[in-house]
Amino acid sequence: MSWAQGVLGYAARHRDWLAANETRAHLRGEMITFFQRYDILICPCAPTVAFPHEHRPINWRTLSTSTGDRFSYLRMLEWSALATTCGLPATAIPAGLAASGLPVGVQIIGPPGSDTFVIAVAEAIEKALQAA
């Protein structure tokens, strides 16, 4: 999302918010359908491994993927958007190290109201990774 899109989001009219809320409700319904078939969703936290802190203004920051592609730092927010937009419980855990030695994480997302289940799955995965 660009800076301008963010400003427009803060200044949205009520009817625009209602339209966006309807889209969120539809997406939440799709996720509820997904969770009728699957217990949990495990996905990356981010498209990159951990990275050094950058001190430039946030809109100027960029990151690189393992293939060398560059993207805006703010695009990192997209990776948590599914859980936050749909109001789904989620937790992130370390999942090991990349070839570069930097940490990699995964997020565990569950259906609405399954907060304790999501945390239990995260704990089980962490224990299994530590034992490996």
Side-chain angles (χ1 to χ4, degrees), residues 45-110:
C45 289
T48 68
V49 296
F51 48 87
H53 181 68
E54 188 176 329
H55 296 277
R56 293 186 302 166
I58 198 164
N59 289 332
W60 296 350
R61 297 178 194 174
T62 60
L63 296 170
S64 294
T65 64
S66 60
T67 61
D69 295 330
R70 295 199 64 78
F71 61 95
S72 166
Y73 179 86
L74 290 173
R75 295 216 42 213
M76 293 287 282
L77 297 174
E78 295 171 9
W79 291 81
S80 63
L82 179 64
T84 57
T85 299
C86 296
L88 302 173
T91 192
I93 61 168
L97 300 175
S100 64
L102 292 170
V104 176
V106 295
Q107 57 181 320
I108 297 117
I109 302 172

Side-chain angles (χ1 to χ4, degrees), residues 5 17-19 21 26 28-29 34 40 44 49 54-55 61 67 71-72 77 93 96 99 110 114 117:
Q5 288 170 314
W17 182 90
L18 288 172
N21 196 51
H26 175 75
R28 181 179 167 93
F34 172 87
I40 209 87
V49 296
E54 188 176 329
H55 296 277
R61 297 178 194 174
T67 61
F71 61 95
S72 166
L77 297 174
I93 61 168
S114 68
F117 176 65

Side-chain angles (χ1 to χ4, degrees), residues 9 13 15 43 48 53 59 66 73 89 94 116 119 130:
R13 292 178 290 196
R15 70 174 174 216
C43 51
T48 68
H53 181 68
N59 289 332
S66 60
Y73 179 86
T116 55
I119 292 169
Q130 289 170 356

